[in-house]
Amino acid sequence: MPYIGWAKFRPELEEVIDCLFNKADALVVERLGFRYLNSLRHDLHGIDSLSDLDFSLTVKGDQITESANVNFTTDSKSDLASTVRIATPDFVQGQIPPGTSVYLDVDVFTNEIGFETTDCDFVKRWIEKAHDTEKIQFFRLLKPSTIESLRED
């Protein structure tokens, strides 16, 4: 914290990937993962509760808006599966920023049985695709008005 932005973070990440492949003899990668965590707050994001997300959870006609922990996985059979976790602070363990109203966790990962690669450039390309997938999963949870208010132009 704070997030330095993809333009700065990506080269740092690629440097680490290069270093790993250069130092490890005959490296075989069997799983890749890219994870984004965000504590949404009113003062930074305009999010006061689950109802401020473009998301609804209804059980037998009653909408759940106060306390929840929801996990769902998309594209579970692809090389870019993602699990999205949406939780209110009462379900989050560890330290989170004061004033957090909703905690989002987007985990993009390889889910192919028998996946493996020895190709450094493949890993870099996969990370770029994973970043794009993570952004899609994150922003689809926000209402258009929230996205507009967060725009940095």
Side-chain angles (χ1 to χ4, degrees), residues 10-11 24 33 38 55 58 60-61 63 80 90-91 98 110 134 153:
R10 180 182 177 195
N38 200 326
F55 162 85
T58 305
K60 199 169 182 178
Q63 189 167 6
L80 275 166
D90 52 316
F91 282 99
T110 54
E134 170 270 313
D153 295 327

Side-chain angles (χ1 to χ4, degrees), residues 66-135:
E66 294 180 22
S67 181
N69 183 8
V70 178
N71 303 288
F72 61 89
T73 300
T74 63
D75 302 321
S76 62
K77 292 184 173 57
S78 83
D79 70 336
L80 275 166
S82 57
T83 296
V84 177
R85 297 168 184 90
I86 305 165
T88 51
D90 52 316
F91 282 99
V92 180
Q93 294 182 347
Q95 292 184 334
I96 59 174
T100 296
S101 52
V102 178
Y103 193 75
L104 298 180
D105 175 348
V106 181
D107 185 12
V108 182
F109 53 94
T110 54
N111 201 34
E112 261 178 70
I113 294 173
F115 170 83
E116 64 178 41
T117 187
T118 58
D119 184 348
C120 180
D121 290 330
F122 173 85
V123 172
K124 291 178 189 177
R125 288 190 306 274
W126 187 92
I127 293 286
E128 184 67 34
K129 290 186 340 186
H131 175 255
D132 292 343
T133 299
E134 170 270 313
K135 283 177 31 182

Side-chain angles (χ1 to χ4, degrees), residues 138-153:
F138 175 76
F139 282 105
R140 78 183 194 143
L141 293 170
L142 302 180
K143 294 178 180 178
S145 58
T146 303
I147 294 169
E148 187 60 34
S149 72
L150 296 174
R151 188 174 304 279
E152 293 181 352
D153 295 327

